[in-house]
């Protein structure tokens, strides 16, 4: 894999060299030079044109050789990629996955463009797909991108105004966004050597956060003592470059949550998870093909797929009795003792008689299936 990366870097370097030394610019320079010679000495027209022809021919050959070299490198790289990745990525794909569901896929793509701020592309796609994107969604995400753009310029005012307007909703979610925006504003005052303004601002805005953020407020106020060399002080972590980025991500996440949406585009998450899972699924498909077997559980993955933490969203319950993962058809059930098993295991324990008493597999408590309650994770 390292070899492929190195080869790709070489091709990219050659391509950038061609872009920097544009062939048309070189030809235009040769023609302009000949034009100036003719203008300065009209009697040298024939000589200049003959020289121009030779120069154009020389430059053209040089350009052709450069492009041939780039094309040759691309061809070799393409063959190396094909040789490295021999697995058939199409084999495990279900061609009928979106039968009668195309509208869901189209809507997901259109909303992805809107969520990325590509409103014109999203509108064009929606128009061609026959979709209607509500103006309210476009307006809301337009507002979000305006605030994010301001945050990137270290302008906290739009975000602070938004946080104050939604303070009650953020408080219900135990969000720390509003406090961190105020904290960042105080730090801006300190970095600008405006100590008095920082103290006044803190007094006006930190009172409501005293119970939840006492220690953080205390550290922030103590950092004033080191204002002249804050980055070399025990409070240097308050001024890290990542703080501004963290606030941008937190604002985007909270904004989407208040709209009832995930912080990341569903299309992005789906493609990310699919990319992570594809190598395992391709390998499994080749094994099943060799053994002439098929996976019958269409709603479940045949093997466990290791995903990154940022793509894990739901808790998963595996029945301690059957070792099977819970599903909508086989949900987790909690007995009166507090232990949880899947519904199918519960039915086996009570022998399909909801009133028959049975002993819990993990403690001496006796229970009945009728007293068990469905658990939601």
């Amino acid at each position: 894999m390292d070899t492929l990366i190195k080869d790709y870097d070489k091709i990219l370097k050659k391509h950038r060299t061609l872009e920097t030394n544009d062939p048309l610019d070189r030809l235009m320079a040769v023609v302009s030079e000949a034009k100036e010679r003719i203008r300065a000495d009209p009697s040298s027209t024939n000589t200049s044109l003959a020289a121009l022809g030779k120069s154009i021919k020389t430059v053209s050959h040089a350009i052709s050789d450069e492009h041939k070299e780039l094309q040759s490198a691309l061809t070799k790289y393409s063959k190396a990629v094909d040789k490295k990745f021999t697995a058939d990525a199409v084999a495990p794909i279900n061609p009928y996955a979106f039968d009668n569901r195309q509208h869901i896929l189209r809507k997901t793509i259109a909303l992805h463009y809107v969520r990325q701020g590509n409103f014109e592309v999203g509108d064009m796609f929606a128009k061609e797909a026959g979709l209607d994107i509500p103006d309210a969604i476009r307006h809301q995400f337009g507002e979000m991108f305006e605030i994010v753009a301001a945050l990137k310029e270290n302008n906290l005012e739009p975000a602070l105004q938004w946080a104050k307007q939604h303070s009650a909703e953020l408080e219900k979610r135990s969000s720390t966004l509003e406090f961190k925006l105020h904290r960042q504003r105080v730090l801006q005052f300190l970095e600008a050597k405006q100590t008095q303004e920082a103290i006044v601002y803190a007094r006006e805005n930190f009172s409501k956060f005293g119970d939840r953020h006492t220690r953080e407020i205390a550290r922030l106020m103590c950092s004033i003592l080191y204002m002249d060399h804050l980055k070399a002080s025990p409070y240097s972590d308050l001024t890290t470059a990542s703080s501004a980025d963290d606030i941008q991500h937190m604002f985007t996440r909270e904004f989407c949550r208040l709209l009832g949406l995930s912080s990341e585009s569903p299309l992005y998450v789906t493609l990310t998870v699919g990319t992570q899972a594809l190598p395992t699924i391709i390998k499994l498909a080749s094994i099943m093909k060799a053994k002439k077997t098929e996976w019958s559980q269409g709603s479940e993955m045949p093997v466990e797929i290791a995903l990154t933490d940022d793509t894990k969203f739901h808790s998963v319950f595996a029945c301690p009795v059957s070792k099977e993962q819970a599903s909508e058809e086989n949900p987790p059930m909690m007995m009166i003792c507090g232990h949880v098993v899947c519904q199918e295991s519960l039915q086996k324990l009570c022998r399909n008689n909801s009133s028959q008493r049975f002993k819990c597999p993990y403690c001496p408590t006796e229970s009945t299936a009728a007293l068990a309650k469905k658990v939601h994770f």
Side-chain angles (χ1 to χ4, degrees), residues 224-253:
I224 295 175
L225 300 173
Y226 297 87
M227 188 180 67
D228 294 333
H229 49 278
L230 189 59
K231 293 184 178 179
S233 73
Y235 306 99
S236 59
D237 58 292
L238 296 174
T239 60
T240 56
S242 62
S243 297
D245 293 334
D246 291 342
I247 287 178
Q248 291 175 31
H249 293 310
M250 181 180 288
F251 170 77
T252 303
R253 184 172 65 249

Side-chain angles (χ1 to χ4, degrees), residues 117-125 138:
N118 297 321
F119 300 114
E120 292 184 5
V121 178
D123 288 342
M124 183 63 68
F125 181 87
R138 294 180 80 263

Side-chain angles (χ1 to χ4, degrees), residues 183-198:
R183 185 185 68 175
Q184 192 69 14
R185 186 71 184 107
V186 171
L187 287 170
Q188 286 182 344
F189 281 125
L190 294 179
E191 290 176 352
K193 312 298 183 184
Q194 297 174 323
T195 310
Q196 192 61 36
E197 289 85 346

Side-chain angles (χ1 to χ4, degrees), residues 162-319:
W162 182 89
K164 289 176 181 177
Q165 291 172 8
H166 300 86
S167 181
E169 297 162 279
L170 292 171
E171 187 67 27
K172 287 180 181 178
R173 301 183 63 87
S174 298
S175 171
T176 61
L177 174 64
E178 187 178 0
F179 168 73
K180 289 189 175 180
L181 285 168
H182 285 302
R183 185 185 68 175
Q184 192 69 14
R185 186 71 184 107
V186 171
L187 287 170
Q188 286 182 344
F189 281 125
L190 294 179
E191 290 176 352
K193 312 298 183 184
Q194 297 174 323
T195 310
Q196 192 61 36
E197 289 85 346
I199 294 173
V200 172
Y201 186 90
R203 285 174 177 171
E204 291 176 350
N205 294 282
F206 281 161
S207 58
K208 63 183 288 187
F209 304 107
D211 294 338
R212 289 178 57 192
H213 301 284
T214 304
R215 185 175 180 276
E216 292 176 83
I217 294 172
R219 290 191 77 237
L220 187 61
M221 293 298 96
C222 288
S223 68
I224 295 175
L225 300 173
Y226 297 87
M227 188 180 67
D228 294 333
H229 49 278
L230 189 59
K231 293 184 178 179
S233 73
Y235 306 99
S236 59
D237 58 292
L238 296 174
T239 60
T240 56
S242 62
S243 297
D245 293 334
D246 291 342
I247 287 178
Q248 291 175 31
H249 293 310
M250 181 180 288
F251 170 77
T252 303
R253 184 172 65 249
E254 295 298 343
F255 191 100
C256 291
R257 282 180 176 175
L258 292 188
L259 294 178
L261 301 172
S262 60
S263 57
E264 294 287 358
S265 160
L267 183 64
Y268 167 79
V269 174
T270 302
L271 291 175
T272 301
V273 172
T275 303
Q276 293 174 12
L278 190 59
T280 303
I281 296 174
I282 290 175
K283 185 175 181 179
L284 181 70
S286 62
I287 293 173
M288 287 184 170
K289 183 178 180 180
K291 293 186 176 181
K292 298 181 180 180
T293 58
E294 293 183 359
W295 178 250
S296 58
Q297 299 294 328
S299 61
E300 295 181 11
M301 295 296 292
V303 292
E304 184 175 350
I305 304 295
L307 299 176
T308 54
D309 290 339
D310 60 337
T311 53
K312 295 177 182 177
F313 303 97
H314 304 288
S315 299
V316 175
F317 175 76
C319 178

